[in-house]
Amino acid sequence: MHCLWCNSQIIQEVNWENLFILAKPKNLCQPCEEELEVLHGERCRRCSRISEDEVCLDCKWWDEQASRDTITSNFSVFAYNEMMQDMIAKWKYRGDYHLGNAFKSYFTQSFHEAFSYLDKDAIAVPVPLSNERLLERGFNQAKMLADFLPIETKEVITRVHTEKQSKKTRRERIGTKNPFEITKSINKSVILVDDIYTTGTTLRHAGALLHEHGCRKVYAYTLIRG
């Protein structure tokens, strides 16, 4: 087994804990794994920002926009540090699909810890790419993450092609029109899955559409808190 990031050989350590139990193979070597920053400690219960406040200032602002706050909460696994920025660039923008598997064990384990209260029939809905962007990248990173989860995935939202979110300022992102359309109503709780939470605008646009079409509750689950 070789590390998906640096390609060095991964030698599984044998100890009393895994001597009699077949350990799951790792996709990252220990030095690369240690460069990722898992979010720990006190965080905003609404958006996962590291914060001593129960609800951060951003989320209080969203609360004041009553018609716009359509996400019950977001949970993110990693901070957007330098290592993660490099990995995302290679995975998402340079088309290294297989590298996404480096996040699988973290993403599934955190899901069990963070969403244990969910209805058993909850549905994972990946945030879509436009057809143009999907053709350009070759895969949707949010769909790959959603497929890691032990619940059903449904692609019921489509996206109108617009300028990349990463090229917009914070003000421009918050002010964007809803770029999504829905193809099928879901009368269940939904977890919107995406790779990164920045302003939360994209997720709230998708959440608004799901609520308008009968969805009970909309949560968000993202790999990274930007």
Side-chain angles (χ1 to χ4, degrees):
M1 186 76 189
H2 288 77
C3 175
L4 291 180
W5 181 246
C6 72
N7 203 36
S8 64
Q9 188 173 6
I10 299 174
I11 300 173
Q12 187 74 37
E13 182 184 352
V14 178
N15 54 39
W16 286 110
E17 188 177 348
N18 64 23
L19 183 60
F20 301 106
I21 302 173
L22 189 60
K24 292 182 180 177
K26 287 191 165 190
N27 287 322
L28 291 176
C29 66
Q30 187 171 345
C32 288
E33 198 172 37
E34 288 175 351
E35 288 192 54
L36 293 174
E37 184 181 346
V38 178
L39 291 170
H40 289 298
E42 295 183 7
R43 62 172 81 182
C44 171
R45 64 178 172 80
R46 298 289 303 281
C47 73
S48 259
R49 178 198 293 271
I50 294 299
S51 169
E52 293 181 356
D53 296 327
E54 187 177 4
V55 178
C56 71
L57 291 177
D58 269 4
C59 289
K60 286 177 181 173
W61 182 85
W62 280 111
D63 280 341
E64 292 167 5
Q65 321 301 312
S67 63
R68 299 181 68 180
D69 199 359
T70 57
I71 300 294
T72 300
S73 63
N74 166 71
F75 189 89
S76 303
V77 182
F78 292 106
Y80 203 28
N81 66 3
E82 189 173 342
M83 174 67 164
M84 182 58 81
Q85 289 178 40
D86 290 343
M87 291 184 77
I88 291 296
K90 188 176 180 187
W91 175 44
K92 181 172 162 180
Y93 300 119
R94 298 204 292 275
D96 188 343
Y97 177 86
H98 194 51
L99 180 59
N101 289 304
F103 308 123
K104 182 176 182 179
S105 60
Y106 292 99
F107 205 65
T108 51
Q109 183 178 335
S110 292
F111 174 81
H112 288 298
E113 293 169 3
F115 293 100
S116 58
Y117 57 85
L118 265 188
D119 301 336
K120 291 182 179 177
D121 61 352
I123 302 291
V125 173
V127 172
L129 300 177
S130 66
N131 290 336
E132 290 84 348
R133 197 79 71 216
L134 186 60
L135 191 63
E136 176 185 307
R137 291 188 187 162
F139 70 97
N140 178 1
Q141 70 282 352
K143 171 69 165 52
M144 184 177 189
L145 291 170
D147 287 343
F148 290 155
L149 303 181
I151 58 176
E152 184 179 5
T153 296
K154 285 189 176 180
E155 295 181 271
V156 297
I157 299 176
T158 59
R159 184 174 198 148
V160 177
H161 188 62
T162 56
E163 186 184 14
K164 289 180 180 177
Q165 287 293 94
S166 58
K167 290 188 175 180
K168 294 177 181 173
T169 64
R170 175 181 171 80
R171 180 184 291 271
E172 288 171 336
R173 289 184 186 203
I174 290 175
T176 55
K177 293 181 180 178
N178 196 329
F180 299 116
E181 295 175 350
I182 197 162
T183 58
K184 186 178 181 182
S185 298
I186 295 180
N187 184 24
K188 297 176 181 176
S189 295
V190 159
I191 297 184
L192 279 168
V193 179
D194 207 356
D195 56 332
I196 185 165
Y197 181 110
T198 47
T199 63
T201 306
T202 298
L203 292 162
R204 285 179 169 87
H205 279 320
L209 203 57
L210 288 163
H211 279 298
E212 287 168 14
H213 290 80
C215 189
R216 295 178 204 157
K217 281 201 168 185
V218 180
Y219 304 89
Y221 186 38
T222 47
L223 182 68
I224 308 154
R225 180 62 174 87

